[in-house]
Amino acid sequence: WKLPGRPVLVPVYIQRGMLRALEALEARSWRAVSKTLERTRYMNAARLLHATKFLRTRSAVGALRAGAATAVAAAVATSTSGTAFAVAGCQSAESRAAIPLSSSFIADAAARVAPALVNISVQPAGSGLRAAMQGASGSGFVVDPSGLVLTNCHVVRDAAARGGTVTVTLSDGVTRLRGVVEHSDAISDIAVVRVNHHAALPAAELGSSSDLRPGEFVVALGAPLGLTNSVSFGIVSAIERTRSELGLHDSLGARNTTAYIQTDASINSGNSGGPLLDVHGRVIGVNTMKAMGMDGIAFAVPIDEVKRVVRQLTAHGRVLRPYLGLKFIELSEPVAEELNARAAEKESRGLFGGGHVARVPARGLYVMHVTPGSPAQRAGFRIGDTIVGMRAGSPAAEVVSTKQMVDGLSEHVGGQVELEVSRDGEKANSWLEVTVETMQT
């Protein structure tokens, strides 16, 4: 670091004076921290200090999480002996503090959820060699102490459809319980299994996948190849991988809008249904599949999507998927340019009867087909409309993706919503009220 006049390496040691300064200043706001760092010129205001030895004390960890970087700067200024700080990048004054990681953070995260991990085996109805060969196995995890287990639908499909036997083995490897498939949804590939036990079962803590970023550490638990209580480690390679990107086709009569988490954590046969964890040991996804013949490419259903599916399964016994009778494509600048270029070419050839063709906007959902007799047709939708917004008893929200549209409609199945439409030949957007019906799947 360059202090005024000359570069120096500032030494720091864990001492009582430092901790007193920390306690006195830990209530300061991030804005004050930023100004202090600028004023003292220890470093750019967008940088914070991160001390390995300093973080070993519990009080220091708590203070850093609370944003007490001013105390760190003050301690640096007053210290004269000890070991050196390392510089860690920080975001803005309003951003969250850096999360300290120990050398055993993977083991710590796994240990928090390991007691809730279960192995699931399914024996189809019937007997003989064929029934034995059709048996399936996978993983799952307890989400409620009363005995509620989450897993993948494909793990327990045979039991749900043909009355097979589900056996749930707890993390001790000894206790085996009879499982009953309470709910399952093949489209999202999520199932809920119920077990009965004389005592409350340890349950995993569910986190959130909404703010997940590529590059974050993740831990996958499961029983690959029947090897129970296995742990693998990796990063989030990408978020919101759609089924079309993965080359998957919807064959169940409903559009699957699940956007998967891609990870390089090892997920193999038997890991299906197991939890994907963040560094705090919170479940952020359900391990679902891997790319065949490839290492380091695996996918998990985001936990926020799982929560939504389970809520609907619990309330209705199935997932209510909205139906309007529309087929549309997501617009982007390249897609809009292509559509506009095609329209301009047809216009120049007189294929529109000499009429003017309005330009397609760069954002929204472009309607390609309206099903006759559908709710959308009754509401007045036309081919060529672009859906750009939605409201239903709340402030209007912009609509730019299929998932955003479906998620918004899912909360209002059986009711009515208003969709904002950009239409050819109209200067102002119009709002169309449409009844959201449910698709039978």
Side-chain angles (χ1 to χ4, degrees), residues 29 75 167 175 183 274 276 349 365 368 372 407:
S29 69
T167 302
T175 306
H183 304 290
L276 186 70
R349 293 162 56 188
L365 303 177
M368 304 289 288
D407 288 350

Side-chain angles (χ1 to χ4, degrees), residues 100-156:
L101 299 178
S102 70
S103 59
S104 60
F105 75 94
I106 300 173
D108 293 340
R112 288 194 62 185
V113 181
L117 186 66
V118 301
N119 178 242
I120 299 174
S121 59
V122 177
Q123 184 63 39
S127 59
L129 180 60
R130 183 173 182 177
M133 293 178 63
Q134 290 179 341
S137 66
S139 304
F141 54 99
V142 180
V143 292
D144 189 280
S146 65
L148 210 60
V149 175
L150 286 186
T151 186
N152 282 144
C153 180
H154 72 259
V155 173
V156 296

Side-chain angles (χ1 to χ4, degrees), residues 279-322:
V279 293
H280 300 286
R282 297 183 296 235
V283 180
I284 55 159
V286 177
N287 304 326
T288 298
M289 57 186 170
K290 64 167 291 186
M292 294 297 293
M294 300 290 290
D295 292 327
I297 303 179
F299 304 93
V301 181
I303 197 63
D304 290 348
E305 173 70 7
V306 175
K307 292 176 184 177
R308 186 184 70 83
V309 169
V310 171
R311 279 198 303 269
Q312 293 217 16
L313 288 173
T314 304
H316 309 290
R318 62 191 179 97
V319 179
L320 301 180
R321 292 187 166 83

Side-chain angles (χ1 to χ4, degrees), residues 171-219:
S171 59
D172 60 10
V174 177
T175 306
R176 289 177 171 80
L177 306 173
R178 175 73 177 269
V180 176
V181 181
E182 281 198 346
H183 304 290
S184 63
D185 179 62
I187 294 177
S188 62
D189 200 13
I190 295 299
V192 179
V193 177
R194 171 75 66 179
V195 296
N196 292 317
H197 192 46
H198 60 82
L201 297 175
E205 178 185 355
L206 302 185
S208 174
S209 53
S210 61
D211 57 354
L212 204 59
R213 299 176 298 167
E216 291 191 23
F217 292 137
V218 288
V219 180

